[in-house]
mmCIF file of all heavy atoms in Angstrom:
data_model
loop_
_atom_site.group_PDB
_atom_site.id
_atom_site.type_symbol
_atom_site.label_atom_id
_atom_site.label_comp_id
_atom_site.label_asym_id
_atom_site.label_seq_id
_atom_site.Cartn_x
_atom_site.Cartn_y
_atom_site.Cartn_z
ATOM 1 N N THR A 1 0.828 -1.214 0.000
ATOM 2 C CA THR A 1 0.000 0.000 0.000
ATOM 3 C C THR A 1 0.862 1.264 0.000
ATOM 4 O O THR A 1 0.474 2.271 -0.586
ATOM 5 C CB THR A 1 -0.947 0.025 1.220
ATOM 6 O OG1 THR A 1 -0.182 -0.165 2.413
ATOM 7 C CG2 THR A 1 -2.019 -1.031 1.114
ATOM 8 N N ASP A 2 2.030 1.214 0.642
ATOM 9 C CA ASP A 2 2.937 2.364 0.630
ATOM 10 C C ASP A 2 3.360 2.680 -0.806
ATOM 11 O O ASP A 2 3.340 3.827 -1.237
ATOM 12 C CB ASP A 2 4.196 2.085 1.468
ATOM 13 C CG ASP A 2 3.877 1.840 2.929
ATOM 14 O OD1 ASP A 2 2.926 2.459 3.445
ATOM 15 O OD2 ASP A 2 4.571 1.028 3.551
ATOM 16 N N TYR A 3 3.733 1.625 -1.524
ATOM 17 C CA TYR A 3 4.163 1.817 -2.912
ATOM 18 C C TYR A 3 3.000 2.258 -3.810
ATOM 19 O O TYR A 3 3.182 3.074 -4.711
ATOM 20 C CB TYR A 3 4.811 0.539 -3.457
ATOM 21 C CG TYR A 3 6.132 0.240 -2.797
ATOM 22 C CD1 TYR A 3 6.271 -0.853 -1.946
ATOM 23 C CD2 TYR A 3 7.242 1.051 -3.005
ATOM 24 C CE1 TYR A 3 7.488 -1.128 -1.330
ATOM 25 C CE2 TYR A 3 8.457 0.789 -2.391
ATOM 26 C CZ TYR A 3 8.571 -0.304 -1.555
ATOM 27 O OH TYR A 3 9.769 -0.567 -0.936
ATOM 28 N N LEU A 4 1.809 1.735 -3.555
ATOM 29 C CA LEU A 4 0.634 2.133 -4.323
ATOM 30 C C LEU A 4 0.344 3.623 -4.120
ATOM 31 O O LEU A 4 0.099 4.349 -5.089
ATOM 32 C CB LEU A 4 -0.585 1.297 -3.926
ATOM 33 C CG LEU A 4 -1.883 1.623 -4.655
ATOM 34 C CD1 LEU A 4 -1.744 1.417 -6.159
ATOM 35 C CD2 LEU A 4 -3.032 0.770 -4.124
ATOM 36 N N CYS A 5 0.382 4.076 -2.869
ATOM 37 C CA CYS A 5 0.176 5.502 -2.592
ATOM 38 C C CYS A 5 1.270 6.340 -3.246
ATOM 39 O O CYS A 5 1.007 7.416 -3.780
ATOM 40 C CB CYS A 5 0.141 5.756 -1.090
ATOM 41 S SG CYS A 5 -1.340 5.113 -0.301
ATOM 42 N N GLY A 6 2.482 5.834 -3.224
ATOM 43 C CA GLY A 6 3.582 6.536 -3.883
ATOM 44 C C GLY A 6 3.357 6.646 -5.377
ATOM 45 O O GLY A 6 3.592 7.696 -5.981
ATOM 46 N N LEU A 7 2.863 5.578 -5.979
ATOM 47 C CA LEU A 7 2.566 5.580 -7.412
ATOM 48 C C LEU A 7 1.466 6.589 -7.737
ATOM 49 O O LEU A 7 1.567 7.342 -8.715
ATOM 50 C CB LEU A 7 2.161 4.172 -7.863
ATOM 51 C CG LEU A 7 1.901 3.986 -9.351
ATOM 52 C CD1 LEU A 7 3.164 4.255 -10.151
ATOM 53 C CD2 LEU A 7 1.404 2.570 -9.614
ATOM 54 N N LEU A 8 0.399 6.614 -6.916
ATOM 55 C CA LEU A 8 -0.671 7.596 -7.129
ATOM 56 C C LEU A 8 -0.143 9.017 -7.000
ATOM 57 O O LEU A 8 -0.521 9.917 -7.752
ATOM 58 C CB LEU A 8 -1.808 7.369 -6.122
ATOM 59 C CG LEU A 8 -2.648 6.122 -6.346
ATOM 60 C CD1 LEU A 8 -3.608 5.909 -5.180
ATOM 61 C CD2 LEU A 8 -3.424 6.225 -7.652
ATOM 62 N N SER A 9 0.749 9.221 -6.048
ATOM 63 C CA SER A 9 1.345 10.530 -5.870
ATOM 64 C C SER A 9 2.156 10.933 -7.098
ATOM 65 O O SER A 9 2.047 12.056 -7.598
ATOM 66 C CB SER A 9 2.236 10.528 -4.625
ATOM 67 O OG SER A 9 2.787 11.794 -4.409
ATOM 68 N N LEU A 10 2.959 10.013 -7.600
ATOM 69 C CA LEU A 10 3.758 10.307 -8.795
ATOM 70 C C LEU A 10 2.866 10.552 -10.016
ATOM 71 O O LEU A 10 3.190 11.382 -10.862
ATOM 72 C CB LEU A 10 4.740 9.170 -9.059
ATOM 73 C CG LEU A 10 5.893 9.065 -8.064
ATOM 74 C CD1 LEU A 10 6.708 7.798 -8.323
ATOM 75 C CD2 LEU A 10 6.782 10.299 -8.118
ATOM 76 N N LEU A 11 1.734 9.841 -10.084
ATOM 77 C CA LEU A 11 0.784 10.068 -11.171
ATOM 78 C C LEU A 11 0.252 11.496 -11.131
ATOM 79 O O LEU A 11 0.174 12.174 -12.163
ATOM 80 C CB LEU A 11 -0.372 9.067 -11.085
ATOM 81 C CG LEU A 11 -1.481 9.232 -12.124
ATOM 82 C CD1 LEU A 11 -0.949 9.001 -13.531
ATOM 83 C CD2 LEU A 11 -2.622 8.279 -11.823
ATOM 84 N N GLY A 12 -0.084 11.969 -9.935
ATOM 85 C CA GLY A 12 -0.545 13.348 -9.794
ATOM 86 C C GLY A 12 0.508 14.344 -10.242
ATOM 87 O O GLY A 12 0.210 15.333 -10.914
ATOM 88 N N LEU A 13 1.753 14.072 -9.901
ATOM 89 C CA LEU A 13 2.838 14.963 -10.315
ATOM 90 C C LEU A 13 3.054 14.902 -11.830
ATOM 91 O O LEU A 13 3.313 15.926 -12.468
ATOM 92 C CB LEU A 13 4.115 14.608 -9.565
ATOM 93 C CG LEU A 13 4.049 14.786 -8.048
ATOM 94 C CD1 LEU A 13 5.333 14.312 -7.393
ATOM 95 C CD2 LEU A 13 3.769 16.238 -7.687
ATOM 96 N N ALA A 14 2.915 13.717 -12.409
ATOM 97 C CA ALA A 14 3.061 13.571 -13.862
ATOM 98 C C ALA A 14 1.965 14.349 -14.589
ATOM 99 O O ALA A 14 2.219 14.989 -15.613
ATOM 100 C CB ALA A 14 3.027 12.104 -14.256
ATOM 101 N N LEU A 15 0.738 14.302 -14.055
ATOM 102 C CA LEU A 15 -0.357 15.058 -14.668
ATOM 103 C C LEU A 15 -0.060 16.557 -14.649
ATOM 104 O O LEU A 15 -0.380 17.268 -15.597
ATOM 105 C CB LEU A 15 -1.682 14.760 -13.953
ATOM 106 C CG LEU A 15 -2.244 13.374 -14.184
ATOM 107 C CD1 LEU A 15 -3.450 13.122 -13.281
ATOM 108 C CD2 LEU A 15 -2.631 13.185 -15.655
ATOM 109 N N TRP A 16 0.568 17.016 -13.574
ATOM 110 C CA TRP A 16 0.950 18.421 -13.518
ATOM 111 C C TRP A 16 1.906 18.759 -14.659
ATOM 112 O O TRP A 16 1.760 19.769 -15.336
ATOM 113 C CB TRP A 16 1.603 18.769 -12.186
ATOM 114 C CG TRP A 16 2.219 20.127 -12.216
ATOM 115 C CD1 TRP A 16 1.570 21.326 -12.188
ATOM 116 C CD2 TRP A 16 3.600 20.434 -12.333
ATOM 117 N NE1 TRP A 16 2.471 22.355 -12.267
ATOM 118 C CE2 TRP A 16 3.726 21.824 -12.354
ATOM 119 C CE3 TRP A 16 4.752 19.657 -12.407
ATOM 120 C CZ2 TRP A 16 4.953 22.470 -12.451
ATOM 121 C CZ3 TRP A 16 5.966 20.291 -12.500
ATOM 122 C CH2 TRP A 16 6.051 21.673 -12.530
ATOM 123 N N LEU A 17 2.895 17.884 -14.881
ATOM 124 C CA LEU A 17 3.867 18.139 -15.943
ATOM 125 C C LEU A 17 3.195 18.144 -17.321
ATOM 126 O O LEU A 17 3.567 18.925 -18.189
ATOM 127 C CB LEU A 17 4.974 17.085 -15.906
ATOM 128 C CG LEU A 17 5.915 17.163 -14.708
ATOM 129 C CD1 LEU A 17 6.835 15.944 -14.667
ATOM 130 C CD2 LEU A 17 6.720 18.444 -14.733
ATOM 131 N N ILE A 18 2.203 17.288 -17.483
ATOM 132 C CA ILE A 18 1.507 17.199 -18.770
ATOM 133 C C ILE A 18 0.686 18.464 -19.025
ATOM 134 O O ILE A 18 0.748 19.055 -20.096
ATOM 135 C CB ILE A 18 0.604 15.950 -18.822
ATOM 136 C CG1 ILE A 18 1.470 14.684 -18.846
ATOM 137 C CG2 ILE A 18 -0.335 15.991 -20.028
ATOM 138 C CD1 ILE A 18 0.704 13.396 -18.589
ATOM 139 N N PHE A 19 -0.104 18.901 -18.024
ATOM 140 C CA PHE A 19 -1.006 20.030 -18.225
ATOM 141 C C PHE A 19 -0.332 21.381 -18.006
ATOM 142 O O PHE A 19 -0.748 22.376 -18.565
ATOM 143 C CB PHE A 19 -2.242 19.896 -17.329
ATOM 144 C CG PHE A 19 -3.104 18.738 -17.729
ATOM 145 C CD1 PHE A 19 -3.169 17.602 -16.941
ATOM 146 C CD2 PHE A 19 -3.826 18.769 -18.898
ATOM 147 C CE1 PHE A 19 -3.954 16.520 -17.307
ATOM 148 C CE2 PHE A 19 -4.614 17.697 -19.289
ATOM 149 C CZ PHE A 19 -4.681 16.574 -18.491
ATOM 150 N N ASN A 20 0.690 21.437 -17.162
ATOM 151 C CA ASN A 20 1.497 22.632 -16.934
ATOM 152 C C ASN A 20 0.660 23.890 -16.683
ATOM 153 O O ASN A 20 0.934 24.949 -17.240
ATOM 154 C CB ASN A 20 2.464 22.844 -18.109
ATOM 155 C CG ASN A 20 3.597 23.766 -17.721
ATOM 156 O OD1 ASN A 20 3.874 23.973 -16.544
ATOM 157 N ND2 ASN A 20 4.246 24.324 -18.720
ATOM 158 N N GLN A 21 -0.365 23.773 -15.874
ATOM 159 C CA GLN A 21 -1.194 24.898 -15.471
ATOM 160 C C GLN A 21 -0.952 25.169 -13.990
ATOM 161 O O GLN A 21 -1.012 24.245 -13.179
ATOM 162 C CB GLN A 21 -2.682 24.595 -15.699
ATOM 163 C CG GLN A 21 -3.044 24.364 -17.137
ATOM 164 C CD GLN A 21 -2.960 25.632 -17.961
ATOM 165 O OE1 GLN A 21 -3.327 26.703 -17.490
ATOM 166 N NE2 GLN A 21 -2.449 25.524 -19.161
ATOM 167 N N GLY A 22 -0.705 26.429 -13.616
ATOM 168 C CA GLY A 22 -0.361 26.779 -12.251
ATOM 169 C C GLY A 22 -1.330 26.276 -11.194
ATOM 170 O O GLY A 22 -0.945 25.554 -10.273
ATOM 171 N N ASN A 23 -2.617 26.654 -11.289
ATOM 172 C CA ASN A 23 -3.602 26.243 -10.285
ATOM 173 C C ASN A 23 -3.822 24.734 -10.298
ATOM 174 O O ASN A 23 -3.986 24.112 -9.250
ATOM 175 C CB ASN A 23 -4.936 26.966 -10.484
ATOM 176 C CG ASN A 23 -4.873 28.400 -10.007
ATOM 177 O OD1 ASN A 23 -4.024 28.769 -9.201
ATOM 178 N ND2 ASN A 23 -5.774 29.214 -10.519
ATOM 179 N N LEU A 24 -3.814 24.146 -11.495
ATOM 180 C CA LEU A 24 -3.952 22.696 -11.593
ATOM 181 C C LEU A 24 -2.755 22.013 -10.944
ATOM 182 O O LEU A 24 -2.893 21.006 -10.253
ATOM 183 C CB LEU A 24 -4.093 22.264 -13.058
ATOM 184 C CG LEU A 24 -4.275 20.770 -13.298
ATOM 185 C CD1 LEU A 24 -5.536 20.247 -12.607
ATOM 186 C CD2 LEU A 24 -4.328 20.478 -14.791
ATOM 187 N N ALA A 25 -1.574 22.596 -11.146
ATOM 188 C CA ALA A 25 -0.365 22.035 -10.532
ATOM 189 C C ALA A 25 -0.473 22.056 -9.016
ATOM 190 O O ALA A 25 -0.110 21.088 -8.346
ATOM 191 C CB ALA A 25 0.867 22.822 -10.980
ATOM 192 N N ILE A 26 -0.990 23.134 -8.464
ATOM 193 C CA ILE A 26 -1.137 23.232 -7.013
ATOM 194 C C ILE A 26 -2.151 22.201 -6.521
ATOM 195 O O ILE A 26 -1.902 21.479 -5.551
ATOM 196 C CB ILE A 26 -1.516 24.666 -6.605
ATOM 197 C CG1 ILE A 26 -0.330 25.603 -6.885
ATOM 198 C CG2 ILE A 26 -1.923 24.732 -5.136
ATOM 199 C CD1 ILE A 26 -0.678 27.066 -6.862
ATOM 200 N N ALA A 27 -3.283 22.094 -7.205
ATOM 201 C CA ALA A 27 -4.305 21.115 -6.817
ATOM 202 C C ALA A 27 -3.764 19.690 -6.924
ATOM 203 O O ALA A 27 -3.979 18.868 -6.025
ATOM 204 C CB ALA A 27 -5.550 21.285 -7.689
ATOM 205 N N LEU A 28 -3.054 19.389 -8.002
ATOM 206 C CA LEU A 28 -2.492 18.047 -8.167
ATOM 207 C C LEU A 28 -1.373 17.783 -7.159
ATOM 208 O O LEU A 28 -1.212 16.660 -6.688
ATOM 209 C CB LEU A 28 -1.985 17.850 -9.596
ATOM 210 C CG LEU A 28 -3.082 17.730 -10.661
ATOM 211 C CD1 LEU A 28 -2.480 17.742 -12.062
ATOM 212 C CD2 LEU A 28 -3.905 16.465 -10.449
ATOM 213 N N SER A 29 -0.625 18.825 -6.807
ATOM 214 C CA SER A 29 0.421 18.657 -5.794
ATOM 215 C C SER A 29 -0.193 18.355 -4.437
ATOM 216 O O SER A 29 0.340 17.550 -3.669
ATOM 217 C CB SER A 29 1.297 19.907 -5.710
ATOM 218 O OG SER A 29 2.084 20.025 -6.852
ATOM 219 N N ILE A 30 -1.325 18.989 -4.137
ATOM 220 C CA ILE A 30 -2.029 18.698 -2.889
ATOM 221 C C ILE A 30 -2.506 17.251 -2.895
ATOM 222 O O ILE A 30 -2.323 16.517 -1.923
ATOM 223 C CB ILE A 30 -3.194 19.684 -2.673
ATOM 224 C CG1 ILE A 30 -2.649 21.078 -2.360
ATOM 225 C CG2 ILE A 30 -4.128 19.208 -1.556
ATOM 226 C CD1 ILE A 30 -3.695 22.179 -2.389
ATOM 227 N N ALA A 31 -3.104 16.831 -4.018
ATOM 228 C CA ALA A 31 -3.575 15.446 -4.125
ATOM 229 C C ALA A 31 -2.404 14.472 -4.025
ATOM 230 O O ALA A 31 -2.495 13.444 -3.344
ATOM 231 C CB ALA A 31 -4.319 15.241 -5.449
ATOM 232 N N ALA A 32 -1.295 14.801 -4.666
ATOM 233 C CA ALA A 32 -0.112 13.947 -4.614
ATOM 234 C C ALA A 32 0.447 13.893 -3.198
ATOM 235 O O ALA A 32 0.840 12.831 -2.711
ATOM 236 C CB ALA A 32 0.950 14.455 -5.586
ATOM 237 N N ASP A 33 0.469 15.023 -2.525
ATOM 238 C CA ASP A 33 0.975 15.070 -1.160
ATOM 239 C C ASP A 33 0.094 14.242 -0.230
ATOM 240 O O ASP A 33 0.595 13.516 0.625
ATOM 241 C CB ASP A 33 1.042 16.526 -0.681
ATOM 242 C CG ASP A 33 1.865 16.673 0.578
ATOM 243 O OD1 ASP A 33 1.292 16.545 1.675
ATOM 244 O OD2 ASP A 33 3.073 16.918 0.463
#
């Protein structure tokens, strides 16, 4: 489960890189965190 949560977190960060929108990045960073 630790690794699964880590993977979900990295997915959120990857989505930020894909969309590259400031507010979306903050929201996805919160979700990733």
